[in-house]
Amino acid sequence: MSTGPAGHVARSTDRPHSETTRETPVRTRLRTFLRTSDGVSIDAVYDPGAVVYDTSRTPADHPVVVVAHGFTGAVDRPHVRRVARALARYGAVVTFSFRGHGASGGRSTVGDREVLDLAAAVEWARELGHARVGTVGFSMGGSVVLRHAALYPGQTDAVVSVSAPARWYYRGTAPMRRLHWLVTRPEGRVLSRYGLRTRIHHRDWDPVPLSPVEAVPRIAPTPLLIVHGDADGYFPVDHPRMLAAAAADQGELWLEPGMGHAENAAGDELLGRIGEWVAGRAG
């Protein structure tokens, strides 16, 4: 699905708010289209969240959380907005739609070049005045935040991966077999485009991107949190345990009892704990 290795060019080529710098951070909600380093237009939203209410500190003193949604998500989907509202209690929040999702351009590469989308969103978050940036990703987005932290060292100050796979091409559960059918079959991609509003690239990965479990050892010393439900129907608990083993003493694992998969399964209490963790490490 890739015409070249993702992760070697970190900067966006579009500056939609060039008047905003780290010396003049903002306190208002913004929506814009970012431009990735490979030329894809990405729909993005900035919510100042707690920055508006805490007048004892400047916006630059608050962390910003960049949320990377799961496959078939988008910035306006209710479950993504719910996550953003929960995390906004702990700082500012940037949400965006990955390529091929929502109003963003391009086509999904299901975790490969999406790292460039996250890189553009993280860069925008810093341009808006925040000195500290945490990333929180769910499912596909969880794999992307791991790869981004590995490929762009120093660009993030804390990383949270929720419900992520440890390895590629996993087909051990019925939901993942259905997902592979959507991605690899022409009729599946048509169903995804019109039924799920997600446009999928028809090309296979070439080269195969760095896997999540290969990315994890490269993230240190950036703080890393791995969150997974023991009732996840997509990826069983050997996935988070593989990621935690790869992180060794540089990561934490929260194995959540009764939790299913990704954003829809993440309750407000868990999101609150994630927000506190990010604020404590990146704040």
Side-chain angles (χ1 to χ4, degrees):
M1 291 183 179
S2 173
T3 58
H8 295 288
V9 182
R11 300 192 65 81
S12 163
T13 59
D14 186 25
R15 304 303 178 108
H17 292 281
S18 59
E19 73 280 5
T20 301
T21 69
R22 296 178 191 178
E23 288 70 41
T24 59
V26 299
R27 293 182 183 267
T28 59
R29 190 176 191 269
L30 300 172
R31 186 160 193 165
T32 192
F33 283 88
L34 308 175
R35 182 73 60 179
T36 68
S37 62
D38 63 342
V40 177
S41 179
I42 299 298
D43 187 16
V45 174
Y46 171 79
D47 185 341
V51 175
V52 172
Y53 305 104
D54 186 356
T55 57
S56 65
R57 298 193 295 173
T58 68
D61 294 328
H62 287 269
V64 56
V65 181
V66 181
V67 177
H69 63 74
F71 184 66
T72 75
V75 70
D76 291 322
R77 292 289 178 92
H79 58 277
V80 176
R81 300 299 345 132
R82 182 178 65 84
V83 168
R85 287 192 299 270
L87 296 177
R89 298 196 298 268
Y90 304 93
V93 178
V94 168
T95 49
F96 65 97
S97 296
F98 279 121
R99 62 186 61 204
H101 293 72
S104 291
R107 287 175 288 178
S108 175
T109 63
V110 199
D112 178 14
R113 301 193 73 80
E114 283 75 9
V115 72
L116 303 178
D117 309 344
L118 179 58
V122 168
E123 181 183 29
W124 187 48
R126 291 197 182 276
E127 290 176 348
L128 290 171
H130 295 277
R132 308 289 284 177
V133 179
T135 55
V136 178
F138 296 85
S139 191
M140 181 187 76
S143 71
V144 173
V145 299
L146 296 175
R147 295 184 56 243
H148 173 267
L151 294 169
Y152 299 96
Q155 293 302 301
T156 52
D157 301 290
V159 180
V160 182
S161 178
V162 184
S163 302
R167 55 194 185 274
W168 302 137
Y169 304 112
Y170 177 72
R171 293 177 171 85
T173 59
M176 285 306 297
R177 289 191 288 274
R178 289 194 294 268
L179 177 61
H180 279 276
W181 181 84
L182 281 175
V183 171
T184 61
R185 298 290 294 273
E187 59 268 40
R189 293 191 292 270
V190 171
L191 175 61
S192 177
R193 183 182 186 97
Y194 295 103
L196 302 174
R197 292 179 290 173
T198 301
R199 306 174 305 280
I200 304 172
H201 209 294
H202 67 280
R203 297 194 186 100
D204 293 334
W205 284 338
D206 182 20
V208 175
L210 184 74
S211 73
V213 73
E214 293 170 325
V216 163
R218 306 187 188 189
I219 294 174
T222 302
L224 170 64
L225 173 61
I226 299 159
V227 182
H228 210 93
D230 66 2
D232 191 308
Y234 285 76
F235 305 112
V237 295
D238 63 311
H239 285 261
R241 286 172 175 157
M242 286 178 64
L243 294 173
D249 294 335
Q250 297 298 319
E252 296 181 45
L253 171 62
W254 294 356
L255 197 57
E256 297 294 309
M259 178 185 167
H261 186 68
E263 298 101 321
N264 285 323
D268 289 345
E269 186 273 337
L270 172 59
L271 293 172
R273 283 191 280 127
I274 291 172
E276 289 178 355
W277 188 92
V278 174
R281 273 60 173 188

